[in-house]
Amino acid sequence: MNGVDVAELFDKAVRIARTVTCPEDYDGVWEVLDRAAGVERVAAELAGTQVTSPDATVRATACDLLGLVSERHEQIRASAATILISMADTEVDGDVHWSIARALGATCDPRAVPVLVTLARHDDSDVRHRVACSLPAVIGDAVDGPGVDALIVLSADPDREVRNWATFGLGWQTNADGDFVRQALWERTGDSYSEAREEGIRGLAKRRDHRALPLLAGLLAEASAHVFSFDAAAFLGDPALLPLLRKFDPADRGVEEALRECDPVLRARRDAFAIKLFDALHARLPEAEIALYAERFELGLHLEVDFPGSDGGQPALWSVEGLIERAGDDPDLAVQFVAQDLQAIELG
């Protein structure tokens, strides 16, 4: 596919966009743009020239193409973000604002935060909804700041889907924490919209806030439960949830992990394995720096091995739970696997 082909696809997408009367109609636009986005640099260059068009439909379609290219090709993201941020300063059309917000989320570029914070105050709830979806991607590892503040405000938005997605972004997709974050999540636990309420509960549970315990138990007592509710139970790690968790099939995603984290016996068995593994590795590799740790906003235990003065590369990392599964509860066999993996890394 060459530049002419991409230009023809873009023009076709614009023609379809002019006929759209509902969100479902836009699927045809995405289908055509997705084909154009396969030729990443040509598509990005074309979109970059079209964002200055006097026609709002053309500008919006160009932003959508930049977003699709950014999703598929990481090397395009920085230049795409620069274009989108620049055009946002003077853009006045609401549909284009929506497309800018979506595309900026696809770039995962922290420079987009000020633009999205501004668009978070948009009169159009669809734009605010898109901002709520995009902000977590550009906030990255930030635990506070204007992006987090914007999500807190959006979590109390008059529009229920804006509240839902902002609460999901704030509570589940980011690691932001603190009194204001927890208060925002707690307020949503009383939301009249069930999906926003569930996101508030799970967000508190991820922060291991035990106010969520009886509320999460209510979610698990329902006939079906979302996988995030199982993850939330694992974060809380409370034995009181075991009777509810045992109703579900351990083969379902998240259930086995939740059972292990909530069951003191299983958790102690995992921890004992980890200690034996650590000691055996230290005896076998005395020159290595070995660490066992758990991330605050992640589940499970991690094993890290680093050799001082090697080549300056990243330490090797394993999931302790993954090693248990590979070695069948045999720490000595797990040590052999780690040694083999280290040798493969060195040779690779």
Side-chain angles (χ1 to χ4, degrees):
M1 190 182 299
N2 56 35
V4 174
D5 296 326
V6 172
E8 289 177 352
L9 286 171
F10 181 81
D11 290 342
K12 180 178 180 180
V14 171
R15 290 196 299 273
I16 298 173
R18 296 193 194 283
T19 67
V20 167
T21 58
C22 65
E24 289 74 20
D25 292 345
Y26 212 75
D27 290 345
V29 178
W30 293 122
E31 181 180 348
V32 175
L33 290 180
D34 188 62
R35 291 166 56 195
V39 190
E40 66 272 17
R41 295 204 176 276
V42 174
E45 289 172 3
L46 173 66
T49 65
Q50 296 299 316
V51 295
T52 59
S53 169
D55 187 320
T57 302
V58 173
R59 296 197 303 278
T61 307
C63 292
D64 292 337
L65 180 55
L66 278 175
L68 286 177
V69 174
S70 296
E71 287 174 352
R72 295 171 58 168
H73 306 285
E74 186 174 351
Q75 66 272 23
I76 299 294
R77 292 176 181 174
S79 58
T82 298
I83 293 170
L84 293 161
I85 292 167
S86 176
M87 69 176 294
D89 287 339
T90 56
E91 186 54 62
V92 295
D93 185 88
D95 289 339
V96 183
H97 285 149
W98 186 96
S99 294
I100 289 173
R102 183 192 183 282
L104 282 174
T107 69
C108 302
D109 195 313
R111 293 177 298 157
V113 170
V115 174
L116 292 174
V117 167
T118 298
L119 292 176
R121 300 188 290 270
H122 204 282
D123 290 339
D124 189 337
S125 62
D126 287 340
V127 175
R128 300 196 304 276
H129 175 262
R130 192 64 252 177
V131 170
C133 295
S134 292
L135 268 171
V138 301
I139 288 173
D141 295 330
V143 296
D144 55 23
V148 173
D149 293 342
L151 281 174
I152 290 174
V153 172
L154 289 172
S155 72
D157 194 88
D159 185 277
R160 68 179 195 172
E161 281 301 338
V162 176
R163 294 198 308 276
N164 177 34
W165 281 91
T167 308
F168 171 62
L170 180 67
W172 203 254
Q173 293 182 293
T174 79
N175 292 339
D177 200 5
D179 292 343
F180 292 115
V181 171
R182 295 196 184 204
Q183 181 59 31
L185 295 172
W186 177 253
E187 288 176 2
R188 295 282 64 74
T189 64
D191 201 293
S192 59
Y193 185 38
S194 62
E195 293 188 22
R197 177 176 178 273
E198 291 170 11
E199 296 305 338
I201 295 169
R202 290 192 284 252
L204 283 175
K206 182 181 176 182
R207 285 148 187 81
R208 308 179 197 271
D209 188 322
H210 273 68
R211 290 181 297 172
L213 180 60
L215 303 174
L216 180 60
L219 297 183
L220 293 172
E222 295 175 0
S224 61
H226 194 282
V227 63
F228 289 163
S229 294
F230 299 136
D231 292 340
F235 276 112
L236 283 179
D238 197 301
L241 296 175
L242 283 173
L244 294 166
L245 291 169
R246 285 172 177 149
K247 297 187 309 178
F248 297 96
D249 186 345
D252 291 344
R253 190 167 77 86
V255 175
E256 184 178 8
E257 188 168 39
L259 286 167
R260 181 184 62 242
E261 295 298 330
C262 290
D263 189 326
V265 174
L266 293 178
R267 194 166 61 240
R269 187 181 303 164
R270 185 268 317 272
D271 295 347
F273 176 96
I275 293 171
K276 290 179 181 178
L277 174 63
F278 178 89
D279 291 340
L281 269 176
H282 194 273
R284 179 163 179 163
L285 305 169
E287 72 281 13
E289 295 180 359
I290 305 170
L292 282 171
Y293 66 92
E295 295 282 0
R296 183 182 179 196
F297 291 110
E298 292 181 13
L299 295 169
L301 287 178
H302 305 285
L303 170 72
E304 183 178 281
V305 178
D306 191 18
F307 288 91
S310 54
D311 60 356
Q314 295 294 319
L317 188 66
W318 292 263
S319 159
V320 170
E321 290 78 13
L323 286 171
I324 290 174
E325 185 173 350
R326 286 174 66 186
D329 288 328
D330 184 342
D332 293 327
L333 183 57
V335 169
Q336 294 181 35
F337 287 143
V338 170
Q340 292 169 6
D341 292 345
L342 286 170
Q343 185 177 25
I345 293 171
E346 185 178 354
L347 293 175

